[in-house]
Amino acid sequence: MSKLTIVLLIILVVLIGVLVALYFFGKKAQKKQEEQQAQIEASKQLISMLVIDKKRLPIKDSGLPQMVIDQTPKLMRRSKLPIVKAKVGPKIAIMIADEKVFDLIPVKKEIKAEVSGLYIVGVRGIRGSLEKPAEKKKGLFARFRRKKQ
């Protein structure tokens, strides 16, 4: 065998090993995520609140309790989270919204939200339904693709 085939076989074996490791890691992460989702579903409550403000902020600038910031993984501390500032009863609360729900939350309006701890899972309008946000403008290449089809 030549040196080239030996090198290619070693690279192939390493790639197969990495793919197998990623497969098992992905299954483990998916199982963990399903367990967390089940806990969220079990502990969610329907709460009416007046949304004051909503922004995407880094977790250190969000105003969340220090205990929550300390519990987040190091990699997540730099990413921006969808933060909602709302008046719940007489108190003003700072909550984290789910990515799917964040765009539906209207500012300066009263809503009924499904909340699990500090996490907003779902949103409903108190008076009527919520308006869906306008679709984002499509880029140049997307328009050309659509014209071809």
Side-chain angles (χ1 to χ4, degrees):
M1 288 171 118
S2 68
K3 289 183 179 182
L4 180 64
T5 56
I6 293 173
V7 169
L8 288 176
L9 282 174
I10 291 173
I11 291 173
L12 182 67
V13 169
V14 169
L15 284 175
I16 290 173
V18 168
L19 287 175
V20 169
L22 284 174
Y23 173 76
F24 286 112
F25 179 72
K27 279 187 106 174
K28 183 178 176 184
Q30 184 179 8
K31 196 179 291 184
K32 191 175 183 182
Q33 196 262 345
E34 288 172 356
E35 290 173 5
Q36 289 173 347
Q37 195 65 34
Q39 286 179 341
I40 287 173
E41 289 295 321
S43 67
K44 70 180 179 184
Q45 302 172 347
L46 197 63
I47 297 174
S48 63
M49 60 176 66
L50 174 70
V51 178
I52 297 170
D53 190 20
K54 69 175 190 172
K55 294 180 185 173
R56 291 188 191 276
L57 296 170
I59 195 162
K60 62 182 177 187
D61 300 334
S62 64
L64 289 168
Q66 188 63 37
M67 188 173 85
V68 173
I69 295 171
D70 292 340
Q71 288 179 351
T72 56
K74 298 270 187 203
L75 295 174
M76 281 285 296
R77 292 187 190 174
R78 291 182 182 236
S79 65
K80 291 186 176 183
L81 293 176
I83 302 294
V84 175
K85 192 175 193 182
K87 185 174 181 186
V88 181
K91 293 184 182 178
I92 292 180
I94 297 172
M95 300 182 170
I96 303 170
D98 192 7
E99 286 291 338
K100 301 170 199 162
V101 175
F102 184 69
D103 294 330
L104 295 174
I105 298 174
V107 179
K108 301 204 170 142
K109 289 191 179 176
E110 199 167 346
I111 59 169
K112 279 198 183 255
E114 295 174 357
V115 177
S116 176
L118 292 176
Y119 197 66
I120 298 175
V121 180
V123 178
R124 296 185 202 150
I126 286 186
R127 295 169 187 85
S129 62
L130 297 173
E131 299 107 27
K132 296 195 176 187
E135 289 186 27
K136 293 183 179 178
K137 190 175 178 182
K138 294 187 178 177
L140 182 65
F141 292 113
R143 282 186 270 164
F144 282 133
R145 257 188 257 129
R146 194 178 71 195
K147 284 182 184 178
K148 283 184 180 180
Q149 292 175 354

